[in-house]
Amino acid sequence: MTVSRTPSDRAGTPAWATRLIEAIERIYLVLRVNLVWIALSLAGLVVLGVAPASVAASDAFIAARHGAKVRVLATMWPSFREHLVTANVRMLPLMVVQAGSVAMLWIVAGGAVETPMMSAGLGSLAAVSAAWSTASVATIMSTPRVRRQDPFVAWRLALLLPGAMPVRVIGLILGLIVWMVLCSLVWPVAVLLGAAAAIDLATSLLSRKVELLLEEIENNRAAAS
């Protein structure tokens, strides 16, 4: 007589329970990373703390790949100190463009521009600028190989690479929009998970893909020479 069994892992735990446990562990990781991110951002007086704290959070998520256990504070604090200057140099100019583009979108949405054609033009330009600068910031933040480059090389890579992975960039922007709407509606989610969940999304979508693109470029150069 054949007995049907629920799909399970090696320990005999049902597959659905395993996935639930993994989801809970991931949420717990995001929660811990977010709390440390807030503390490190405040330590850098916010303006100078957000960029290195975001890099540190991305490093924690990279370290947690394949379910590895991560000591969040022990991982993020050294990364924060290491990137306190370099992350600000590379990311702040793009973050200023990002903030300016979002501000322009807000102004246009508020009806400050009376001419419809001008409003549509400025709104479209601001939207594209905000999306591209967001993808560029995420590229630097989530990819150690880009961060290690000189500032001008890092900026060039950050501005060009999003064009090589449009599907992932569109997914990132749409995901961030949905997440921001959810956080605006449910403020406890924003406090507990907000920034870390956005960083986790960016790291998951871009980090490995960018590394592979850079490896492919180097291999093509080596083959051509």
Side-chain angles (χ1 to χ4, degrees):
M1 177 177 173
T2 303
V3 179
S4 61
R5 297 178 180 272
T6 304
S8 60
D9 61 11
R10 294 178 182 178
T13 305
W16 66 267
T18 300
R19 289 193 292 268
L20 178 61
I21 292 171
E22 290 174 351
I24 293 173
E25 289 178 346
R26 191 67 183 186
I27 293 173
Y28 181 51
L29 172 64
V30 173
L31 172 63
R32 290 183 293 148
V33 169
N34 195 64
L35 293 176
V36 177
W37 180 88
I38 292 173
L40 294 179
S41 298
L42 293 176
L45 302 178
V46 181
V47 174
L48 298 179
V50 169
S54 299
V55 168
S58 180
D59 284 343
F61 289 125
I62 291 173
R65 280 175 177 168
H66 311 300
K69 299 294 183 181
V70 177
R71 297 173 60 194
V72 172
L73 182 58
T75 301
M76 291 181 63
W77 174 241
S79 178
F80 176 83
R81 290 187 300 172
E82 178 185 354
H83 297 101
L84 180 59
V85 175
T86 58
N88 278 310
V89 170
R90 287 158 179 76
M91 293 173 63
L92 269 184
L94 293 170
M95 293 172 75
V96 170
V97 174
Q98 183 184 33
S101 301
V102 172
M104 179 60 70
L105 275 175
W106 185 267
I107 292 172
V108 171
V113 182
E114 296 181 357
T115 307
M117 291 187 62
M118 182 68 72
S119 177
L122 287 177
S124 300
L125 180 62
V128 171
S129 178
W132 205 280
S133 58
T134 298
S136 298
V137 169
T139 299
I140 296 175
M141 175 196 70
S142 64
T143 314
R145 195 167 183 172
V146 175
R147 292 188 232 129
R148 290 194 294 267
Q149 307 300 320
D150 292 335
F152 289 105
V153 176
W155 291 331
R156 184 173 62 186
L157 290 173
L159 290 171
L160 293 177
L161 285 171
M165 43 186 181
V167 174
R168 289 177 181 263
V169 169
I170 292 172
L172 172 64
I173 300 304
L174 292 178
L176 291 177
I177 291 173
V178 171
W179 182 243
M180 286 188 294
V181 170
L182 176 61
C183 289
S184 65
L185 296 175
V186 188
W187 65 265
V189 172
V191 174
L192 296 175
L193 305 174
I199 294 168
D200 187 20
L201 175 64
T203 302
S204 299
L205 287 174
L206 302 185
S207 179
R208 184 59 181 159
K209 180 64 175 179
V210 172
E211 293 280 358
L212 291 174
L213 285 173
L214 293 178
E215 288 179 7
E216 183 180 351
I217 291 171
E218 285 192 358
N219 292 336
N220 290 338
R221 286 180 176 176
S225 60

